[in-house]
Amino acid sequence: MKKRPYHHGDLRAALLERAEQTLRERGSGALSLRELARDLGVSPAAPSRHFKTKQALLDALALDGFERLVEITAAAQDGAGETFGERLNVMARAYVGFSVANTALLDLMFSTKHSPEASQALGAAAGRWIEQSLELVSTGQRRGEVREGPLDRIALTVFAPLHGYVGLAVSGVPLPETDEHGLDDVIASIIRACRPE
């Protein structure tokens, strides 16, 4: 595929788009601001107007990933039913779908190698995703569909299995039957574990 040179527009967005493509194809170690500039047909110094360092670029990619994940899970919730099980089902499928489609980005998002300058913005974006998750559990508790207890502990029983499932799915470990049935089983198990005693 011939690389198109970048022409007048949003250089920051173009850099992020090309960086995510490189991340997906070759990993974060292959990212270079100089190479991105060459790919986009701009001067080697041009990316520094938006990203002073490679780490700043990685942090921006992670931030963008969390923002997209929040949007995707919120959109999934919009069309969901009202029960905890229905809302968990769509949220889980949105999270798993995003994760499988964006494996390298997900790894970057959950890595701890972010610069101190970005930690506040990244923390806020990750916090919005966590808040969505906590709200799902909290609403389930208010409706009497989820057992009582400290919100963070109940939420851990919901999201640790999902994150584990994602880890298996993206690592290439063969899952039972098909991914779809395996995820059905994980969601059913979570719902059972959350039921009031």
Side-chain angles (χ1 to χ4, degrees):
M1 176 168 94
K2 186 178 178 188
K3 295 176 186 167
R4 275 187 340 183
Y6 165 81
H7 292 286
H8 309 289
D10 188 348
L11 179 58
R12 185 178 194 283
L15 287 164
L16 285 170
E17 183 180 332
R18 180 68 183 123
E20 188 171 344
Q21 182 181 351
T22 301
L23 179 69
R24 189 179 315 109
E25 293 170 356
R26 299 185 293 155
S28 63
L31 279 173
S32 155
L33 291 172
R34 195 171 278 281
E35 185 177 320
L36 290 172
R38 188 173 40 251
D39 289 350
L40 295 174
V42 297
S43 76
S48 67
R49 285 182 238 142
H50 302 284
F51 306 107
K52 296 293 181 205
T53 64
K54 175 182 171 179
Q55 188 60 55
L57 174 66
L58 292 172
D59 290 340
L61 282 170
L63 175 62
D64 183 62
F66 274 114
E67 289 172 346
R68 285 172 23 210
L69 181 57
V70 166
E71 288 173 16
I72 287 167
T73 52
Q77 292 289 314
D78 286 345
E82 292 184 20
T83 69
F84 172 73
E86 291 168 328
R87 298 184 74 69
L88 172 64
N89 185 49
V90 297
M91 182 178 248
R93 290 182 193 291
Y95 172 56
V96 170
F98 174 86
S99 301
V100 170
N102 299 283
T103 305
L105 181 60
L106 185 78
D107 186 46
L108 179 65
M109 289 162 56
F110 287 103
S111 112
T112 58
K113 300 175 183 172
H114 302 295
S115 67
E117 299 84 37
S119 64
Q120 187 174 16
L122 272 176
R128 286 189 295 278
W129 179 68
I130 291 167
E131 285 301 317
Q132 284 179 323
S133 307
L134 293 175
E135 181 58 31
L136 172 72
V137 175
S138 175
T139 300
Q141 285 179 321
R142 283 192 304 274
R143 292 175 52 94
E145 298 170 324
V146 173
R147 63 187 161 91
E148 292 300 316
L151 190 57
D152 57 339
R153 288 180 60 197
I154 305 296
L156 183 63
T157 65
V158 172
F159 293 98
L162 281 177
H163 200 64
Y165 179 85
V166 163
L168 291 172
V170 301
S171 70
V173 171
L175 297 172
E177 295 182 40
T178 68
D179 290 345
E180 191 70 29
H181 292 297
L183 183 55
D184 289 344
D185 293 343
V186 170
I187 293 169
S189 176
I190 292 168
I191 292 170
R192 281 191 304 274
C194 288
R195 282 190 187 130
E197 298 170 354

PDB file of all heavy atoms in Angstrom, residues 115-141:
ATOM      1  N   SER A 115       3.720   8.940  31.244  1.00  0.00           N
ATOM      2  CA  SER A 115       4.484  10.045  31.804  1.00  0.00           C
ATOM      3  C   SER A 115       3.677  10.753  32.894  1.00  0.00           C
ATOM      4  O   SER A 115       2.452  10.764  32.861  1.00  0.00           O
ATOM      5  CB  SER A 115       4.853  11.032  30.697  1.00  0.00           C
ATOM      6  OG  SER A 115       3.702  11.665  30.210  1.00  0.00           O
ATOM      7  N   PRO A 116       4.368  11.363  33.852  1.00  0.00           N
ATOM      8  CA  PRO A 116       3.668  12.075  34.923  1.00  0.00           C
ATOM      9  C   PRO A 116       2.766  13.195  34.399  1.00  0.00           C
ATOM     10  O   PRO A 116       1.710  13.451  34.967  1.00  0.00           O
ATOM     11  CB  PRO A 116       4.795  12.655  35.783  1.00  0.00           C
ATOM     12  CG  PRO A 116       5.988  11.834  35.467  1.00  0.00           C
ATOM     13  CD  PRO A 116       5.810  11.362  34.046  1.00  0.00           C
ATOM     14  N   GLU A 117       3.171  13.846  33.295  1.00  0.00           N
ATOM     15  CA  GLU A 117       2.351  14.922  32.742  1.00  0.00           C
ATOM     16  C   GLU A 117       0.999  14.407  32.256  1.00  0.00           C
ATOM     17  O   GLU A 117       0.015  15.119  32.282  1.00  0.00           O
ATOM     18  CB  GLU A 117       3.063  15.602  31.565  1.00  0.00           C
ATOM     19  CG  GLU A 117       4.375  16.248  31.906  1.00  0.00           C
ATOM     20  CD  GLU A 117       5.538  15.246  31.876  1.00  0.00           C
ATOM     21  OE1 GLU A 117       5.551  14.344  31.026  1.00  0.00           O
ATOM     22  OE2 GLU A 117       6.426  15.380  32.726  1.00  0.00           O
ATOM     23  N   ALA A 118       0.968  13.192  31.790  1.00  0.00           N
ATOM     24  CA  ALA A 118      -0.274  12.651  31.239  1.00  0.00           C
ATOM     25  C   ALA A 118      -1.115  11.937  32.281  1.00  0.00           C
ATOM     26  O   ALA A 118      -2.272  11.641  32.042  1.00  0.00           O
ATOM     27  CB  ALA A 118       0.039  11.689  30.099  1.00  0.00           C
ATOM     28  N   SER A 119      -0.567  11.660  33.425  1.00  0.00           N
ATOM     29  CA  SER A 119      -1.275  10.826  34.387  1.00  0.00           C
ATOM     30  C   SER A 119      -2.630  11.389  34.798  1.00  0.00           C
ATOM     31  O   SER A 119      -3.574  10.647  34.978  1.00  0.00           O
ATOM     32  CB  SER A 119      -0.412  10.553  35.605  1.00  0.00           C
ATOM     33  OG  SER A 119      -0.146  11.749  36.299  1.00  0.00           O
ATOM     34  N   GLN A 120      -2.738  12.695  34.908  1.00  0.00           N
ATOM     35  CA  GLN A 120      -4.011  13.283  35.300  1.00  0.00           C
ATOM     36  C   GLN A 120      -5.069  13.077  34.213  1.00  0.00           C
ATOM     37  O   GLN A 120      -6.178  12.646  34.497  1.00  0.00           O
ATOM     38  CB  GLN A 120      -3.842  14.767  35.606  1.00  0.00           C
ATOM     39  CG  GLN A 120      -5.096  15.391  36.177  1.00  0.00           C
ATOM     40  CD  GLN A 120      -4.875  16.824  36.621  1.00  0.00           C
ATOM     41  OE1 GLN A 120      -3.900  17.461  36.252  1.00  0.00           O
ATOM     42  NE2 GLN A 120      -5.794  17.332  37.401  1.00  0.00           N
ATOM     43  N   ALA A 121      -4.732  13.348  32.969  1.00  0.00           N
ATOM     44  CA  ALA A 121      -5.693  13.176  31.873  1.00  0.00           C
ATOM     45  C   ALA A 121      -6.020  11.696  31.671  1.00  0.00           C
ATOM     46  O   ALA A 121      -7.182  11.334  31.499  1.00  0.00           O
ATOM     47  CB  ALA A 121      -5.137  13.770  30.583  1.00  0.00           C
ATOM     48  N   LEU A 122      -4.988  10.855  31.714  1.00  0.00           N
ATOM     49  CA  LEU A 122      -5.227   9.421  31.561  1.00  0.00           C
ATOM     50  C   LEU A 122      -6.031   8.885  32.729  1.00  0.00           C
ATOM     51  O   LEU A 122      -6.944   8.082  32.547  1.00  0.00           O
ATOM     52  CB  LEU A 122      -3.903   8.655  31.479  1.00  0.00           C
ATOM     53  CG  LEU A 122      -3.298   8.506  30.112  1.00  0.00           C
ATOM     54  CD1 LEU A 122      -1.942   7.816  30.210  1.00  0.00           C
ATOM     55  CD2 LEU A 122      -4.197   7.742  29.186  1.00  0.00           C
ATOM     56  N   GLY A 123      -5.682   9.325  33.919  1.00  0.00           N
ATOM     57  CA  GLY A 123      -6.421   8.894  35.107  1.00  0.00           C
ATOM     58  C   GLY A 123      -7.884   9.282  35.030  1.00  0.00           C
ATOM     59  O   GLY A 123      -8.767   8.500  35.390  1.00  0.00           O
ATOM     60  N   ALA A 124      -8.153  10.475  34.533  1.00  0.00           N
ATOM     61  CA  ALA A 124      -9.536  10.937  34.400  1.00  0.00           C
ATOM     62  C   ALA A 124     -10.294  10.104  33.368  1.00  0.00           C
ATOM     63  O   ALA A 124     -11.445   9.723  33.588  1.00  0.00           O
ATOM     64  CB  ALA A 124      -9.569  12.413  34.015  1.00  0.00           C
ATOM     65  N   ALA A 125      -9.644   9.810  32.247  1.00  0.00           N
ATOM     66  CA  ALA A 125     -10.306   9.011  31.209  1.00  0.00           C
ATOM     67  C   ALA A 125     -10.549   7.589  31.691  1.00  0.00           C
ATOM     68  O   ALA A 125     -11.637   7.039  31.502  1.00  0.00           O
ATOM     69  CB  ALA A 125      -9.466   9.000  29.929  1.00  0.00           C
ATOM     70  N   ALA A 126      -9.548   6.989  32.318  1.00  0.00           N
ATOM     71  CA  ALA A 126      -9.725   5.644  32.874  1.00  0.00           C
ATOM     72  C   ALA A 126     -10.795   5.677  33.965  1.00  0.00           C
ATOM     73  O   ALA A 126     -11.611   4.751  34.081  1.00  0.00           O
ATOM     74  CB  ALA A 126      -8.407   5.126  33.430  1.00  0.00           C
ATOM     75  N   GLY A 127     -10.810   6.759  34.735  1.00  0.00           N
ATOM     76  CA  GLY A 127     -11.810   6.910  35.789  1.00  0.00           C
ATOM     77  C   GLY A 127     -13.227   6.958  35.246  1.00  0.00           C
ATOM     78  O   GLY A 127     -14.158   6.420  35.866  1.00  0.00           O
ATOM     79  N   ARG A 128     -13.411   7.583  34.080  1.00  0.00           N
ATOM     80  CA  ARG A 128     -14.761   7.613  33.478  1.00  0.00           C
ATOM     81  C   ARG A 128     -15.216   6.213  33.099  1.00  0.00           C
ATOM     82  O   ARG A 128     -16.379   5.857  33.274  1.00  0.00           O
ATOM     83  CB  ARG A 128     -14.780   8.543  32.264  1.00  0.00           C
ATOM     84  CG  ARG A 128     -14.743  10.009  32.626  1.00  0.00           C
ATOM     85  CD  ARG A 128     -14.975  10.928  31.435  1.00  0.00           C
ATOM     86  NE  ARG A 128     -13.938  10.861  30.443  1.00  0.00           N
ATOM     87  CZ  ARG A 128     -12.773  11.521  30.499  1.00  0.00           C
ATOM     88  NH1 ARG A 128     -12.507  12.291  31.521  1.00  0.00           N
ATOM     89  NH2 ARG A 128     -11.882  11.412  29.527  1.00  0.00           N
ATOM     90  N   TRP A 129     -14.291   5.386  32.598  1.00  0.00           N
ATOM     91  CA  TRP A 129     -14.649   4.008  32.263  1.00  0.00           C
ATOM     92  C   TRP A 129     -14.966   3.226  33.535  1.00  0.00           C
ATOM     93  O   TRP A 129     -15.948   2.487  33.586  1.00  0.00           O
ATOM     94  CB  TRP A 129     -13.520   3.339  31.471  1.00  0.00           C
ATOM     95  CG  TRP A 129     -13.829   1.924  31.137  1.00  0.00           C
ATOM     96  CD1 TRP A 129     -14.794   1.478  30.270  1.00  0.00           C
ATOM     97  CD2 TRP A 129     -13.215   0.756  31.667  1.00  0.00           C
ATOM     98  NE1 TRP A 129     -14.802   0.097  30.233  1.00  0.00           N
ATOM     99  CE2 TRP A 129     -13.836  -0.356  31.084  1.00  0.00           C
ATOM    100  CE3 TRP A 129     -12.188   0.554  32.584  1.00  0.00           C
ATOM    101  CZ2 TRP A 129     -13.466  -1.665  31.396  1.00  0.00           C
ATOM    102  CZ3 TRP A 129     -11.821  -0.739  32.882  1.00  0.00           C
ATOM    103  CH2 TRP A 129     -12.463  -1.833  32.290  1.00  0.00           C
ATOM    104  N   ILE A 130     -14.170   3.424  34.580  1.00  0.00           N
ATOM    105  CA  ILE A 130     -14.421   2.741  35.854  1.00  0.00           C
ATOM    106  C   ILE A 130     -15.758   3.185  36.430  1.00  0.00           C
ATOM    107  O   ILE A 130     -16.522   2.372  36.952  1.00  0.00           O
ATOM    108  CB  ILE A 130     -13.255   2.991  36.837  1.00  0.00           C
ATOM    109  CG1 ILE A 130     -12.003   2.263  36.331  1.00  0.00           C
ATOM    110  CG2 ILE A 130     -13.612   2.560  38.246  1.00  0.00           C
ATOM    111  CD1 ILE A 130     -10.718   2.661  37.025  1.00  0.00           C
ATOM    112  N   GLU A 131     -16.059   4.479  36.330  1.00  0.00           N
ATOM    113  CA  GLU A 131     -17.345   4.992  36.831  1.00  0.00           C
ATOM    114  C   GLU A 131     -18.528   4.333  36.119  1.00  0.00           C
ATOM    115  O   GLU A 131     -19.543   4.033  36.746  1.00  0.00           O
ATOM    116  CB  GLU A 131     -17.424   6.517  36.693  1.00  0.00           C
ATOM    117  CG  GLU A 131     -16.598   7.252  37.726  1.00  0.00           C
ATOM    118  CD  GLU A 131     -17.010   6.937  39.153  1.00  0.00           C
ATOM    119  OE1 GLU A 131     -18.224   6.882  39.452  1.00  0.00           O
ATOM    120  OE2 GLU A 131     -16.098   6.714  39.982  1.00  0.00           O
ATOM    121  N   GLN A 132     -18.405   4.128  34.802  1.00  0.00           N
ATOM    122  CA  GLN A 132     -19.473   3.419  34.073  1.00  0.00           C
ATOM    123  C   GLN A 132     -19.685   2.038  34.677  1.00  0.00           C
ATOM    124  O   GLN A 132     -20.817   1.600  34.865  1.00  0.00           O
ATOM    125  CB  GLN A 132     -19.105   3.242  32.599  1.00  0.00           C
ATOM    126  CG  GLN A 132     -19.240   4.450  31.746  1.00  0.00           C
ATOM    127  CD  GLN A 132     -18.819   4.138  30.318  1.00  0.00           C
ATOM    128  OE1 GLN A 132     -17.885   3.376  30.068  1.00  0.00           O
ATOM    129  NE2 GLN A 132     -19.509   4.734  29.363  1.00  0.00           N
ATOM    130  N   SER A 133     -18.597   1.361  34.959  1.00  0.00           N
ATOM    131  CA  SER A 133     -18.657   0.015  35.503  1.00  0.00           C
ATOM    132  C   SER A 133     -19.269   0.010  36.895  1.00  0.00           C
ATOM    133  O   SER A 133     -20.126  -0.823  37.214  1.00  0.00           O
ATOM    134  CB  SER A 133     -17.249  -0.598  35.561  1.00  0.00           C
ATOM    135  OG  SER A 133     -16.626  -0.511  34.309  1.00  0.00           O
ATOM    136  N   LEU A 134     -18.839   0.962  37.722  1.00  0.00           N
ATOM    137  CA  LEU A 134     -19.385   1.046  39.082  1.00  0.00           C
ATOM    138  C   LEU A 134     -20.861   1.407  39.057  1.00  0.00           C
ATOM    139  O   LEU A 134     -21.643   0.895  39.868  1.00  0.00           O
ATOM    140  CB  LEU A 134     -18.588   2.062  39.906  1.00  0.00           C
ATOM    141  CG  LEU A 134     -17.140   1.690  40.224  1.00  0.00           C
ATOM    142  CD1 LEU A 134     -16.445   2.849  40.937  1.00  0.00           C
ATOM    143  CD2 LEU A 134     -17.054   0.414  41.046  1.00  0.00           C
ATOM    144  N   GLU A 135     -21.255   2.258  38.133  1.00  0.00           N
ATOM    145  CA  GLU A 135     -22.665   2.654  38.017  1.00  0.00           C
ATOM    146  C   GLU A 135     -23.532   1.456  37.647  1.00  0.00           C
ATOM    147  O   GLU A 135     -24.653   1.308  38.149  1.00  0.00           O
ATOM    148  CB  GLU A 135     -22.829   3.777  37.005  1.00  0.00           C
ATOM    149  CG  GLU A 135     -24.262   4.259  36.837  1.00  0.00           C
ATOM    150  CD  GLU A 135     -24.896   4.770  38.131  1.00  0.00           C
ATOM    151  OE1 GLU A 135     -24.189   5.294  39.001  1.00  0.00           O
ATOM    152  OE2 GLU A 135     -26.134   4.611  38.265  1.00  0.00           O
ATOM    153  N   LEU A 136     -23.036   0.592  36.785  1.00  0.00           N
ATOM    154  CA  LEU A 136     -23.762  -0.626  36.423  1.00  0.00           C
ATOM    155  C   LEU A 136     -24.051  -1.454  37.669  1.00  0.00           C
ATOM    156  O   LEU A 136     -25.184  -1.882  37.902  1.00  0.00           O
ATOM    157  CB  LEU A 136     -22.936  -1.447  35.422  1.00  0.00           C
ATOM    158  CG  LEU A 136     -23.463  -2.838  35.093  1.00  0.00           C
ATOM    159  CD1 LEU A 136     -24.721  -2.743  34.237  1.00  0.00           C
ATOM    160  CD2 LEU A 136     -22.390  -3.651  34.394  1.00  0.00           C
ATOM    161  N   VAL A 137     -23.047  -1.651  38.496  1.00  0.00           N
ATOM    162  CA  VAL A 137     -23.201  -2.449  39.718  1.00  0.00           C
ATOM    163  C   VAL A 137     -24.085  -1.723  40.719  1.00  0.00           C
ATOM    164  O   VAL A 137     -24.992  -2.322  41.318  1.00  0.00           O
ATOM    165  CB  VAL A 137     -21.823  -2.783  40.320  1.00  0.00           C
ATOM    166  CG1 VAL A 137     -21.969  -3.498  41.657  1.00  0.00           C
ATOM    167  CG2 VAL A 137     -21.007  -3.632  39.349  1.00  0.00           C
ATOM    168  N   SER A 138     -23.859  -0.437  40.896  1.00  0.00           N
ATOM    169  CA  SER A 138     -24.640   0.356  41.844  1.00  0.00           C
ATOM    170  C   SER A 138     -26.128   0.348  41.489  1.00  0.00           C
ATOM    171  O   SER A 138     -26.993   0.177  42.360  1.00  0.00           O
ATOM    172  CB  SER A 138     -24.107   1.784  41.858  1.00  0.00           C
ATOM    173  OG  SER A 138     -24.890   2.610  42.664  1.00  0.00           O
ATOM    174  N   THR A 139     -26.433   0.523  40.218  1.00  0.00           N
ATOM    175  CA  THR A 139     -27.825   0.482  39.774  1.00  0.00           C
ATOM    176  C   THR A 139     -28.424  -0.902  40.030  1.00  0.00           C
ATOM    177  O   THR A 139     -29.568  -1.021  40.481  1.00  0.00           O
ATOM    178  CB  THR A 139     -27.933   0.847  38.278  1.00  0.00           C
ATOM    179  OG1 THR A 139     -27.422   2.172  38.106  1.00  0.00           O
ATOM    180  CG2 THR A 139     -29.363   0.778  37.775  1.00  0.00           C
ATOM    181  N   GLY A 140     -27.649  -1.944  39.775  1.00  0.00           N
ATOM    182  CA  GLY A 140     -28.100  -3.302  40.058  1.00  0.00           C
ATOM    183  C   GLY A 140     -28.392  -3.506  41.530  1.00  0.00           C
ATOM    184  O   GLY A 140     -29.370  -4.176  41.898  1.00  0.00           O
ATOM    185  N   GLN A 141     -27.579  -2.919  42.393  1.00  0.00           N
ATOM    186  CA  GLN A 141     -27.825  -3.013  43.837  1.00  0.00           C
ATOM    187  C   GLN A 141     -29.109  -2.275  44.213  1.00  0.00           C
ATOM    188  O   GLN A 141     -29.928  -2.804  44.972  1.00  0.00           O
ATOM    189  CB  GLN A 141     -26.641  -2.443  44.628  1.00  0.00           C
ATOM    190  CG  GLN A 141     -25.440  -3.350  44.642  1.00  0.00           C
ATOM    191  CD  GLN A 141     -24.264  -2.762  45.417  1.00  0.00           C
ATOM    192  OE1 GLN A 141     -24.007  -1.553  45.349  1.00  0.00           O
ATOM    193  NE2 GLN A 141     -23.543  -3.617  46.135  1.00  0.00           N
TER     194      GLN A 141
END
